[in-house]
């Protein structure tokens, strides 16, 4: 990283710079309209009120400030645009294609899962809409591609982490968890096979509590916190 | 992303900007000195010849140019500093802590696995050293933490992807693959259990070829390309 490479790098000697933005993909569940599943996966997008892409919907985000880390900037811009405050934002990917914006902008994407009650806690600003991710196209910039990548990561992570529990309260039944998997994978799952796989994964721990309802009582489970913590890896929060 | 937020963002009105760098973690295998395993995992680092951190070893990298994508910048700066040209670089993480450098620098990290023959193909520049990752500390900036995170990702990916084959030629034996896993996990693995797990994973496909040697002939396997391709996800190369 020499001084000359600085001139060649982020400032090509003509005053142009590469600007750094952060954006956030928030996934939440909403009761499905279609009878074949219980939940739709929805996400908040913000109406752009000026060019570029004025009038299009875009992921919540904004510019990174010099005095804040990437995750802090993601949290701040998400709160400023949508009023949402997820407990934990995970870095998704840095998108830096030269032509993704009229000016050169590299966007570091974060993502989080929100429980339904966390969404309903506060009123949504009028320029924010929650759309189902099924067939969600026509977003600003390369945000269509970002959403598809985030969905792929979410589906991919179902197989080897306890991420699905991010949609659920602390205690949940196996049916609750299966219905989340069905929403993410967008297909029905066999209850018996699902029970075998999840109980074998060590992701969740049975409690001695049951949910009583119209059917026979269903055992309540909680997330295996050891597995959940491991999935964050060795990064300290201030690294993000 | 308003004009005012630009002023608040990457240029706080005093001409300071957040600069964007790319760096690369390259993992390769080297015959282990210690008799308990066959391979050590080694990585190339570059001697810094000026401040900050003059005289310390750092990950190969440099500044992002306005006219190149992130992955292209990672490939270019890796080739310029080490002469290495991996076929595929995967994005690892964006590191953006405010205090990670004397000036504000966000680094997008890429990583790749190299086959031993790819390393030996070309002479290493004199200011580049290959160190074993075991107990590798004292690198410049936050590169110690970056290396530990990359190692954690490598160990983590062993469980659910065909990443270990990135160290191996197209055809390999189960012993070859187990020895790579033992190097990455830094512990011995039971051959019978390993065979069961790998054969059950669908990651590799048996061929009708055998390696003949001093022992009885060992069947040769190849990577299941469907699994390998899926692990790249929906991102187009030019997105990276």
């Amino acid at each position: 990283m020499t001084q000359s490479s600085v001139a060649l790098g982020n400032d090509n000697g003509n005053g142009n710079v590469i600007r750094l933005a952060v954006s956030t993909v928030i996934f939440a569940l909403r009761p499905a309209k279609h009878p074949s599943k219980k939940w739709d996966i929805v996400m908040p997008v913000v109406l752009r009120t000026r060019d570029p892409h004025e009038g299009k919907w875009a992921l919540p985000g904004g510019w990174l400030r010099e005095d804040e880390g990437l995750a802090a900037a993601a949290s701040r811009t998400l709160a400023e645009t949508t009023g949402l405050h997820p407990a934990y934002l995970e870095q998704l990917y840095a998108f830096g294609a030269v032509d993704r914006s009229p000016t050169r902008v590299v966007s570091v994407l974060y993502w989080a899962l929100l429980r339904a009650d966390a969404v309903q806690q506060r009123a949504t600003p009028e320029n924010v809409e929650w759309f189902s991710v099924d067939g969600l196209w026509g977003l600003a910039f390369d945000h269509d591609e970002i959403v598809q990548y985030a969905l792929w990561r979410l589906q991919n992570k179902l197989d080897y982490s306890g991420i699905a529990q991010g949609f659920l309260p602390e205690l949940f039944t196996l049916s609750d968890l299966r219905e989340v998997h069905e929403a993410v994978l967008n297909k029905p799952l066999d209850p018996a096979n699902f029970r075998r796989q999840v109980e074998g994964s060590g992701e969740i721990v049975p409690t001695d509590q049951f949910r009583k309802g119209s059917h026979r009582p269903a055992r309540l489970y909680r997330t295996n916190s050891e597995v959940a913590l491991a999935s964050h890896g060795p990064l300290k929060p201030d690294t993000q």
Side-chain angles (χ1 to χ4, degrees), chain A:
Chain A
M1 302 186 183
T2 66
Q3 288 310 310
S4 63
S5 67
V6 175
L8 287 169
N10 286 16
D11 178 345
N12 283 348
N14 56 18
N16 293 338
V17 295
I18 303 168
R19 289 179 299 164
L20 229 159
V22 294
S23 297
T24 306
V25 177
I26 298 292
F27 289 131
L29 299 180
R30 184 176 62 190
K33 293 187 178 65
H34 196 284
S36 65
K37 54 180 179 175
K38 179 167 184 179
W39 301 109
D40 284 334
I41 296 176
V42 294
M43 57 182 298
V45 287
V46 183
L47 187 66
R48 289 188 55 81
T49 57
R50 66 190 66 198
D51 277 332
H53 298 285
E54 178 176 2
K56 282 191 171 184
W57 297 96
L59 294 168
W63 300 109
L64 175 68
R65 292 180 180 166
E66 241 189 314
D67 59 354
E68 67 186 350
L70 295 169
S75 297
R76 173 183 56 83
T77 56
L78 179 66
E80 287 172 356
T81 51
T82 67
L84 296 169
H85 300 78
Y88 172 73
L89 289 174
E90 179 179 349
Q91 194 183 109
L92 178 68
Y93 201 82
F95 290 80
V98 173
D99 61 356
R100 62 184 296 274
S101 175
T103 59
R104 185 71 197 276
V105 177
V106 172
S107 290
V108 178
L109 266 292
Y110 280 79
W111 68 325
L113 311 185
L114 275 194
R115 287 168 45 183
D117 52 7
V119 177
Q120 289 150 0
Q121 271 165 10
R122 48 185 60 80
T124 302
E126 66 174 5
N127 64 332
V128 175
E129 279 286 351
W130 289 78
F131 289 125
S132 166
V133 297
D134 292 348
L136 178 59
W137 294 103
L139 299 179
F141 304 108
D142 55 356
H143 293 187
D144 286 342
E145 185 177 20
I146 291 172
V147 170
Q148 291 311 305
Y149 178 69
L151 266 175
W152 173 80
R153 278 279 291 269
L154 175 61
Q155 293 167 340
N156 208 257
K157 273 195 115 172
L158 277 184
D159 302 337
Y160 60 87
S161 81
I163 191 169
Q165 290 95 284
F167 287 118
L168 294 169
E170 189 184 355
L171 296 179
F172 48 85
T173 67
L174 285 175
S175 299
D176 295 338
L177 189 58
R178 191 189 75 251
E179 287 161 350
V180 170
H181 279 245
E182 289 175 338
V184 171
L185 299 173
N186 211 4
K187 66 180 182 185
L189 299 171
D190 176 71
N193 289 341
F194 181 79
R195 169 185 291 267
R196 262 192 301 280
Q197 288 171 15
V198 175
E199 289 183 335
S201 70
E203 274 177 29
I204 62 174
V205 181
T207 71
D208 52 10
Q209 302 175 58
F210 290 80
R211 178 186 298 161
K212 297 171 182 56
S214 50
H215 310 293
R216 61 188 170 96
R219 182 180 292 278
L220 291 167
Y221 291 74
R222 60 172 177 77
T223 299
N224 182 341
S225 54
E226 295 171 13
V227 176
L229 288 173
S231 71
H232 293 185
L235 287 179
K236 300 189 297 293
D238 66 359
T239 314
Q240 308 163 16

